[in-house]
Amino acid sequence: MIQPIFLYGSEVLRKKAEPVDLNDKEGVAALVQDLKDTLKVADGCGLAAPQIGVSKRVVIVDGREMVDVYPYLKDFTRTLINPVILEESDEKCTYQEGCLSIPGIYADVIRPSKMTVEYYDENLEKVVETFDKFSCRMIQHELSHLDGNLFTDNVAPIRKKMIQKKLQNISKGKVHPHYNAKIK
């Protein structure tokens, strides 16, 4: 079911998300489906459960939206349940990020260029996978949501100062994304 996306200023976006109970298979499946349905109408490339108001450690990414820029993502979709970062590279890279919870704002963010993550997939099977390039970026961005961090927390101080007024406007509801959104 399509859910509203919580916007900057919503408390749920700043909480550390709780692990999912893997024994609740129906609940996990319903949450994953809600994330997929919501992401599809929002036209994003990733979504974390806190962004739909559920403080649980689940994220989805779908690189197919980015195939024009990154052809290697043509079949890249992942569901990560209770993910744990096992290793991050010392090498860093910079990409411009945006977020469905912070519509209309984009900024360069420096993050590790490669990482290895342990997670459960949609079938609740344990997976250990290494990501690089933009797939790594998408996953890092979404995993940050699980710890209550937003990409704007990681931008250069001068850029943060430049976007402060826009962030305040979002938190006051002075934004009109093309998808159902709310602040709480």
Side-chain angles (χ1 to χ4, degrees):
M1 181 184 321
I2 298 167
Q3 301 295 327
I5 294 176
F6 284 69
L7 298 179
Y8 183 88
S10 298
E11 288 181 29
V12 70
L13 296 177
R14 293 302 191 171
K15 290 182 181 176
K16 185 173 174 107
E18 297 293 322
V20 170
D21 178 358
L22 298 176
N23 294 316
D24 180 12
K25 293 179 181 179
E26 287 181 16
V28 172
L31 176 55
V32 168
Q33 192 59 55
D34 286 354
L35 286 165
K36 287 181 176 183
D37 293 345
T38 304
L39 182 63
K40 186 174 184 177
V41 298
D43 293 325
C45 63
L47 196 61
Q51 290 180 273
I52 61 168
V54 180
S55 191
K56 294 292 181 183
R57 298 189 76 77
V58 179
V59 304
I60 61 169
V61 293
D62 187 342
R64 297 174 296 184
E65 290 290 322
M66 304 295 292
V67 75
D68 291 345
V69 180
Y70 306 109
Y72 56 86
L73 295 176
K74 71 180 178 102
D75 296 317
F76 186 82
T77 62
R78 295 289 187 282
T79 299
L80 292 82
I81 300 167
N82 294 343
V84 175
I85 298 172
L86 300 177
E87 186 177 356
E88 293 179 321
S89 68
D90 291 332
E91 181 182 336
K92 307 286 186 203
C93 62
T94 303
Y95 282 100
Q96 187 174 76
E97 294 187 23
C99 182
L100 293 171
S101 291
I102 309 174
I105 296 179
Y106 301 90
D108 287 342
V109 178
I110 300 169
R111 297 189 191 258
S113 60
K114 191 175 183 180
M115 71 176 180
T116 301
V117 181
E118 178 182 275
Y119 63 93
Y120 291 88
D121 65 13
E122 281 184 71
N123 300 315
L124 302 181
E125 294 178 9
K126 189 180 275 191
V127 177
V128 174
E129 189 171 5
T130 299
F131 302 99
D132 64 1
K133 302 180 185 173
F134 200 73
S135 65
C136 181
R137 176 56 53 126
M138 289 187 300
I139 291 169
Q140 287 171 329
H141 176 103
E142 298 310 327
L143 295 186
S144 291
H145 279 293
L146 302 182
D147 292 325
N149 298 317
L150 302 173
F151 85 93
T152 52
D153 299 335
N154 303 316
V155 301
I158 187 72
R159 180 70 174 131
K160 189 177 267 189
K161 191 170 183 121
M162 291 170 62
I163 63 174
Q164 194 58 44
K165 181 73 171 164
K166 287 182 180 181
L167 291 173
Q168 288 173 350
N169 285 337
I170 293 170
S171 70
K172 292 175 183 174
K174 295 179 181 179
V175 64
H176 303 288
H178 69 277
Y179 44 86
N180 186 12
K182 69 191 238 179
I183 298 170
K184 189 172 179 187

